[in-house]
Amino acid sequence: AIRMTQSPSSFSASTGDRVTITCRASQGISSYLAWYQQKPGKAPKLLIYAASTLQSGVPSRFSGSGSGTDFTLTISCLQSEDFATYYCQQYYSYPWTFGPGTKVDIK
Amino acid sequence: QITLKESGPTLVKPTQTLTLTCTFSGFSLSTSGVGVGWIRQPPGKALEWLALIYWDDDKRYSPSLKSRLTITKDTSKNQVVLTMTNMDPVDTATYYCAHRRGIDYPVGYWGQGTLVTVSS
């Protein structure tokens, strides 16, 4: 199975900050990479797929980049509603695998 | 508008079989490329993909759980059923079903999830 890692595992940030989360795959996954946002007690929400394509309705302050094994999720100007846990996931091959998550909380 | 909702028992005993139903609307599981998957999340832990079933009845399973899982669909009822045998306390988790619109996409629409606790 392809192993997904994320860094950092958690960090504190302030509203207005630019934040970047990285995700690495243990082998190449082309651009078959998705990012999800999850808030406590809620289902994950798809933000980005195909590494850099914004899901319909997702604010443009979210962006994704990368291909192969290294990927990033960037939030250009953190808003209060963005404090959550973020997961990357590869859908290049079965079994699909998720990263361990990155929790973004308020500084 | 695509919606999915999971249903099933909230509490099962160890060694029992869990049966979860995903009832959906807004799409058809007979449309080419479409799939419905199951993902779970133990309390405070990360997401784990379990299984997927496609419009053509192609099925995919997590290798680590394959011997315990069965996924089926009832297109006429707009339902997907997941069964997991020999439940253990480590299977305590929120179980989600989710929609996949095609081969080049991840799951996009998720149900609200259902918490299943395994305890005697």
Side-chain angles (χ1 to χ4, degrees):
Chain A
I2 298 173
R3 181 170 178 253
M4 307 300 292
T5 57
Q6 289 181 234
S7 61
S9 57
S10 65
F11 66 96
S12 299
S14 300
T15 303
D17 284 352
R18 178 183 180 89
V19 303
T20 298
I21 299 168
T22 64
C23 174
R24 176 165 288 178
S26 61
Q27 64 188 74
I29 59 170
S30 184
S31 295
Y32 291 91
L33 190 282
W35 289 98
Y36 297 90
Q37 176 194 66
Q38 188 178 34
K39 297 181 180 179
K42 300 294 186 182
K45 173 187 175 183
L46 177 64
L47 299 176
I48 287 168
Y49 63 94
S52 60
T53 302
L54 207 61
Q55 172 74 343
S56 176
V58 173
S60 59
R61 63 181 179 272
F62 291 92
S63 63
S65 65
S67 68
T69 59
D70 295 310
F71 303 86
T72 60
L73 171 70
T74 299
I75 310 172
S76 61
C77 183
L78 199 66
Q79 301 299 300
S80 58
E81 61 266 33
D82 301 336
F83 293 99
T85 299
Y86 294 85
Y87 294 94
C88 63
Q89 181 235 330
Q90 67 82 17
Y91 53 104
Y92 175 77
S93 68
Y94 300 105
W96 287 3
T97 45
F98 291 85
T102 295
K103 184 177 181 180
V104 181
D105 60 23
I106 302 172
K107 184 181 287 184
Chain B
Q1 179 191 3
I2 290 176
T3 64
L4 305 98
K5 187 172 184 179
E6 307 85 354
S7 60
T10 58
L11 178 66
V12 298
K13 291 181 168 48
T15 75
Q16 287 186 335
T17 294
L18 171 69
T19 299
L20 293 173
T21 300
C22 176
T23 303
F24 56 84
S25 63
F27 67 95
S28 172
L29 201 38
S30 59
T31 300
S32 178
V34 171
V36 172
W38 287 92
I39 300 101
R40 72 179 179 179
Q41 185 173 38
K45 296 189 177 181
L47 300 159
E48 179 184 17
W49 174 76
L50 301 177
L52 258 166
I53 188 166
Y54 289 97
W55 64 284
D56 59 355
D57 211 38
D58 184 25
K59 301 169 187 178
R60 306 286 175 159
Y61 294 101
S62 168
S64 63
L65 293 166
K66 185 174 183 178
S67 63
R68 299 172 54 206
L69 294 174
T70 303
I71 190 169
T72 60
K73 64 181 175 69
D74 187 329
T75 305
S76 64
K77 292 183 179 179
N78 281 353
Q79 290 181 334
V80 170
V81 174
L82 182 76
T83 61
M84 181 180 292
T85 61
N86 195 25
M87 293 292 285
D88 183 271
V90 300
D91 297 314
T92 294
T94 296
Y95 288 75
Y96 297 98
C97 63
H99 165 266
R100 187 184 197 195
R101 68 171 170 167
I103 196 70
D104 289 325
Y105 301 91
V107 286
Y109 292 93
W110 294 59
Q112 64 189 24
T114 186
L115 176 61
V116 178
T117 301
V118 184
S119 175
S120 54

